[in-house]
């Protein structure tokens, strides 16, 4: 490159940098960036960048110099870059630039970039570190300080961002650096003792730079060879400790201290002796001045020292108590966030664990507990104070009143509060919570103190229950009575967080609270109040269920049942989550299970069902009054209430199963409930409202629950049920809930041979749907993944549960479903593909089991004939699609399912080969399918020579895997059969399949022809 070309290139570079940094239009900045990237990759970049750094005075603009230094660094770091300049020449140019631009008016960032380039060069050059140190005496002190700061950082860089250097080179670089550590420490010490600013850098700024440099060298291990005694007394440690008193350098000094304590186990004891000084001279003034930066830094340092010297802290000397007192003050410090208090929790947990884990002499354990009892007692006070929520703030919900920092702090308290409870003992912990001297006037209760104590009580419930110490719940019940008497107008804002905490306490201690009959009504009324708001509804609905479970001796009393039914009637407002409504239904069902009077139980269950029935019935009334449909808001509300009512009915029937099993529910009660339930569902099934996805899902959910709990009583209704499900699926084919519910029906009644023809007709009807017929490509499967999952779930249940006559009669339907499943296995959607593979595996499992039952003959009228013939006709499609499913980025998630299917198929072919089934299916069948599949794969899908290798390799592996599977299913091995991939053959097959998938992850959008 001649002088003219070099000058033109420099001009273009200057213009591009100016456009990149100051251009008004994004297109100009983008074009400049693209050109600069191209220049950086070119060989000319070395010369042009070096020329800018060496340009005569006045120097080029600062942003141009910065870019030149940055470009050199990136060129040096780029993997495989061939240096156009000799290494020594480049080193000299960078050192000259560092000397020239180490002080004002040059920006500090420019010197940093130059030093980063020097560090990158030293890392890559043989003897680069020694050569760099040999030239350092010729640099001004500011340049040396900056270079020494970035050099160790180069050793610690993540290799992922610098592919040009391997681990061995970094280790060599670190060893060479540490060889110069004594000289570096001596230089830093000399710099720290200078009192003047002869280099133009202000004293406070120079001290901060010294600390930054020291931090870099501490991180790389500069004191690793220093004896413990000398390390503790090292003048640089004294310098760093003294810098804690200077606000400008405090944060870096704290980092140095923490790094030293974490690396060198000899130092924590030395730092522990300084704790009284740190508390009195540094922390207390910072607390008085509310200097959060100083408080947070000191808290971090003290926690690091404490955790590194737990055994010394546990001995309880004056320094240890000074440390504990200082950290207690940090916890109690009030600020707008909770980071300072939160940062201390790990230390307190570690100290508590250490104290609880002392297993030496009992006297020592007791002495330690006695010494730290007041410390952890005070800590509990401080934590309760910082965890308080301002219950005077009013929000629409309550949850919005808790700042995120406080919410996280409270979540992090559980482990520590449990440890404090164990250390203090349950009685002392409880006494501490209830010793607030709270007023008992309902208008003057300090609710934020009450709430945080209830929160702390609920978190340690397991510990207190295990302790079984006497517990006076009168205070809790007093507040429960106050809260349950509040009117809806009074229940505003964060007061519902008080309900939430009390709800958690009631749920945790319900067994004790509900042991007194006089407590039941107040507890129920409290739960009724707390359920009405979202902030407390979950806690109070869970508490209600626990009380009804644990108060079986009293809960069935008429006044209690009336309260429960009153709560249930309030559900029609639709304010709660479905999960909370189901908890309430569960609570009422637990209460009714304790009712001994049969007629009362029957009428109560009918009443409970009818309350949900009524809101669901209103949606049917809309068909009689079309004007209601003209009001979208009213119609949407009616739909929502109907959906909620149906889910509550499903919850009711779901809980009936236990009562039926225990004999508490007679047949006549079940029939009476079904007499109410099914007519409503039948009307809904035949209504146009079923086009709504939420309503149809709710109907199917409640029907499935009823069938599961009242199965045998549903047999008369089966034709109607399946007819309704089939008809609605044909009408609304995107609603997969009909398919899933039909599968649940077959799973419940499939063993009854008299329903075989009904199940076949249902299968035919569902398969005739256009949406099912359309499942003939992986693209379609990706568009309808829920439908694929529901359809393959139905077919899996059908083939597992239906009688053999139904399997035989459904041969063509099963063959079609098997072909569709093979296609769906290649879908990109993970759930759809795996569901399809699960069905194919189920199909093969049933076929294998059938052949194993009669290996010596082909019985007439056996479903195994149908299944084996289907496999014989569809085997090539199965193998082809499984192989395609192992291509592309989503293949790894299908490795296990694919290997399972291949092992089952190999086992079936191997078994048939040795029996009379050979005429239908044999090992040659598998060989032909595999050969045809590999031959049909496009050449771009396979690596060179792979096609010739796959068939013999896979056949051998499949033969061994199939033998392993058959061995696990015969003789005494049947009892130990727990799935596939057993034995060496099975594991080898899975490895081969995984290797194939990993080596073909970059195949673009594979699709079988």
């Amino acid at each position: 490159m001649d002088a003219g070309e070099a000058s033109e290139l420099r001009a273009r570079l200057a213009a591009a940098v100016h456009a990149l940094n100051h251009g008004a239009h994004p297109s100009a900045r983008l074009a400049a960036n693209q050109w600069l990237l191209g220049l950086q990759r070119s060989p000319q970049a070395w010369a042009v960048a070096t020329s800018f750094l060496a340009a005569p005075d006045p120097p080029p603009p600062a942003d141009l110099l910065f870019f030149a230094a940055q470009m050199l660094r990136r060129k040096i770091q780029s993997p495989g870059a061939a240096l156009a300049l000799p290494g020594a020449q480049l080193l000299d140019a960078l050192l000259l630039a560092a000397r020239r631009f180490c002080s004002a008016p040059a920006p500090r960032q420019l010197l940093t970039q130059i030093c980063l380039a020097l560090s990158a060069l030293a890392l890559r050059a043989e003897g680069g570190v020694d050569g760099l140190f040999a030239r350092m005496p010729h640099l001004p002190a500011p340049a040396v300080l900056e270079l020494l700061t970035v050099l160790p950082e180069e050793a610690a860089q993540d290799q992922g961002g610098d592919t040009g250097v391997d681990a061995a080179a970094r280790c060599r670089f670190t060893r060479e650096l540490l060889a110069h550590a004594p000289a570096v420490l001596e230089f830093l010490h000399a710099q720290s003792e200078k009192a003047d600013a002869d280099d133009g850098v202000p004293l406070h700024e120079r001290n901060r730079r010294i600390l930054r440099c020291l931090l870099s060298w501490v991180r790389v291990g500069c004191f690793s060879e220093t004896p413990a005694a000398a390390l503790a007394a090292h003048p640089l440690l004294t310098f760093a400790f003294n810098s804690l008193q200077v606000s400008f350098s405090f944060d870096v000094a704290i980092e140095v201290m923490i790094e030293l304590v974490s690396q060198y186990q000899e130092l924590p004891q030395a730092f522990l002796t300084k704790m009284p000084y740190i508390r009195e001279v540094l922390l207390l003034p910072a607390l008085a001045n509310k200097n959060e930066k100083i408080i947070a830094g000191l808290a971090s340092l003290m926690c690091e020292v404490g955790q590194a010297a737990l055994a010394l802290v546990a001995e309880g000397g004056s320094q240890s108590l000074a440390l504990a007192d200082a950290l207690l003050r940090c916890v109690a410090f009030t600020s707008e966030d909770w980071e300072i208090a939160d940062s201390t929790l790990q230390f307190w947990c570690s100290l508590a664990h250490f104290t609880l884990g002392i297993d030496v002499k009992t006297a020592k354990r007791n002495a330690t507990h006695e010494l730290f009892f007041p410390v952890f007692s005070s800590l509990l006070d401080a934590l309760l104070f910082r965890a308080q929520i301002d219950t005077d703030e009013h929000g629409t919900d309550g949850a919005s009143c808790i700042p995120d920092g406080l919410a996280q702090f409270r979540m992090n308290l559980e482990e520590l509060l449990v440890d404090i409870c164990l250390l203090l003992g349950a009685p002392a912990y409880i006494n501490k919570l209830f010793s607030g001297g709270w007023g008992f006037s309902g208008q003057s209760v300090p609710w934020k103190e009450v709430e945080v104590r209830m929160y702390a009580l609920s978190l340690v419930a397991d510990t207190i229950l295990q302790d079984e110490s006497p517990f006076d719940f009168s205070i809790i019940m007093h507040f429960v009575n106050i809260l349950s008497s509040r009117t809806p107008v009074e229940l505003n804002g964060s007061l519902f967080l008080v309900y939430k905490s009390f709800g958690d306490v009631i749920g945790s201690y319900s067994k004790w609270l509900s042991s007194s009959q006089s407590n039941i009504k107040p507890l129920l009324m409290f739960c009724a109040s707390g359920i009405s708001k979202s902030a407390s509804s979950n806690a109070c609905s869970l508490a209600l269920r626990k009380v009804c479970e644990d108060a079986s001796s009293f809960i069935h009393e008429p006044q209690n049942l009336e309260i429960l039914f009153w709560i249930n009637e309030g559900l029609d407002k639709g304010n709660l989550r479905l999960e909370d409504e189901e908890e309430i239904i569960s609570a009422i069902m637990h209460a009714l299970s304790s009712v001994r009077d049969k007629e009362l139980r029957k009428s109560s269950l009918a009443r409970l069902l009818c309350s949900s029935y009524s809101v669901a019935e209103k949606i049917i009334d809309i068909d009689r009054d079309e004007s209601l449909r003209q009001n979208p808001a009213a119609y949407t509300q009616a739909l929502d209430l109907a959906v909620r009512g149906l889910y509550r009915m499903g919850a009711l029937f779901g809980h009936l199963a236990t009562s039926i099993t225990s004999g508490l529910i007679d047949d006549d009660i079940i029939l009476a409930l079904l007499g109410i339930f099914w007519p409503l569902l039948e009307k809904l099934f035949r209504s146009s409202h079923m086009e709504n996805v939420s309503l149809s899902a709710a109907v199917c959910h409640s029907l499935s629950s009823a069938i599961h709990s009242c199965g045998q009583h549903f047999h008369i209704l089966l034709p109607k049920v399946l007819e309704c499900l089939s008809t609605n699926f044909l009408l609304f084919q995107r609603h997969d809930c009909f398919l899933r519910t039909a599968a649940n029906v077959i799973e419940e009644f499939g063993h009854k041979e008299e329903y075989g023809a009904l199940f076949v007709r249902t299968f035919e009807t569902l398969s005739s749907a256009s949406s099912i017929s359309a499942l003939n490509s992986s693209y379609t499967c990706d568009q309808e993944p829920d439908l694929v999952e529901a359809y393959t779930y139905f077919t899996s249940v059908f083939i597992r549960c239906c009688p053999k006559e139904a399997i035989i009669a459904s041969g063509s339907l099963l063959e079609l479903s098997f072909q569709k499943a093979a296609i769906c296995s290649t879908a990109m959607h993970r759930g759809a593909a795996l569901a399809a593979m699960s069905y194919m595996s189920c199909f093969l499992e049933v076929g294998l089991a059938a052949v194993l039952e009669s290996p010596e003959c082909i019985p007439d009228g056996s479903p195994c004939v149908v299944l084996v013939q289907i496999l014989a006709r569809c085997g090539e499609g199965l193998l082809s699609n499984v192989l395609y499913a192992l291509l592309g980025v989503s293949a790894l998630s299908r490795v296990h399912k694919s290997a399972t299917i291949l092992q089952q198929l190999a086992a079936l072919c191997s078994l048939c080969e040795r029996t009379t089934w050979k005429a239908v299916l044999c090992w040659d069948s598998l060989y032909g399918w595999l050969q045809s599949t590999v031959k049909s794969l496009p050449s771009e899908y396979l690596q060179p020579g792979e096609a010739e290798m796959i068939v013999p390799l896979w056949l051998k592996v499949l033969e061994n895997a199939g033998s392993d599977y058959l061995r696990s299913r015969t003789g005494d091995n049947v009892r130990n059969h727990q799935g596939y991939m057993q034995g060496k053959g099975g594991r080898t097959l899975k490895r081969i399949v995984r290797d194939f998938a990993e080596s073909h992850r970059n195949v673009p959008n594979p699709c079988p022809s």
Side-chain angles (χ1 to χ4, degrees), residues 582-616:
E582 290 184 12
E583 288 289 354
I584 293 169
I585 296 299
S586 175
I588 299 173
M589 291 297 292
H590 279 294
L592 295 181
S593 67
S594 63
V595 174
R596 299 303 174 191
D597 185 276
K598 177 181 175 181
E599 289 303 317
L600 177 59
R601 191 187 314 128
K602 180 178 179 180
S603 62
S604 298
L605 285 169
R607 179 182 176 185
L608 181 60
L609 184 64
C610 288
S611 66
S612 301
Y613 175 99
S614 60
V615 293

Side-chain angles (χ1 to χ4, degrees), residues 699-721:
V699 168
C700 289
H701 172 79
S702 59
L703 176 59
S704 295
S705 297
I707 290 173
H708 177 69
S709 59
C710 314
Q712 60 176 338
H713 300 88
F714 249 97
H715 63 90
I716 299 176
L717 300 172
L718 274 192
K720 285 186 177 181
V721 170

Side-chain angles (χ1 to χ4, degrees), residues 362-504:
T362 305
K364 181 177 180 180
R365 185 189 300 115
N366 292 341
T368 305
H369 283 199
E370 183 178 349
L371 180 66
F372 282 96
F373 187 97
V375 172
F376 281 99
S377 181
S378 299
L379 175 62
L380 179 57
D381 288 334
L383 293 173
L384 293 176
F385 172 72
R386 291 296 286 129
Q388 287 181 7
I389 298 170
D390 187 358
T391 55
D392 295 327
E393 292 186 14
H394 295 294
T396 57
D397 191 323
S400 60
C401 298
I402 308 181
D404 291 341
L406 175 55
Q408 185 63 48
F409 177 65
R410 286 165 65 105
M411 287 176 58
N412 294 340
L413 283 181
E414 181 173 2
E415 181 182 1
L416 179 54
L417 288 178
V418 169
D419 290 338
I420 292 174
C421 183
L422 290 170
L423 278 166
L424 302 183
Y429 183 91
I430 295 169
N431 183 61
K432 189 77 176 173
L433 294 182
F434 292 137
S435 62
W438 304 328
F440 284 92
S441 168
Q443 300 301 319
S444 62
V445 175
W447 286 117
K448 64 181 180 180
E449 295 182 25
V450 174
E451 186 279 333
V452 76
R453 281 164 168 74
M454 293 303 102
Y455 180 77
L457 183 63
S458 66
L459 288 183
V460 300
D462 291 342
T463 304
I464 291 177
L465 290 172
Q466 291 173 8
D467 187 80
E468 297 183 347
S469 298
F471 191 168
D472 182 6
F473 284 95
S474 59
I475 297 179
I476 293 177
M477 290 308 303
H478 173 78
F479 289 119
V480 165
N481 280 310
I482 293 176
L483 291 169
S484 60
S485 63
R486 292 275 174 139
T487 63
V489 178
E490 297 175 285
L491 304 180
N492 290 319
S494 295
L495 188 58
F496 271 98
L497 297 172
V498 179
Y499 280 85
K500 180 183 183 306
S501 293
F502 270 95
D504 290 334

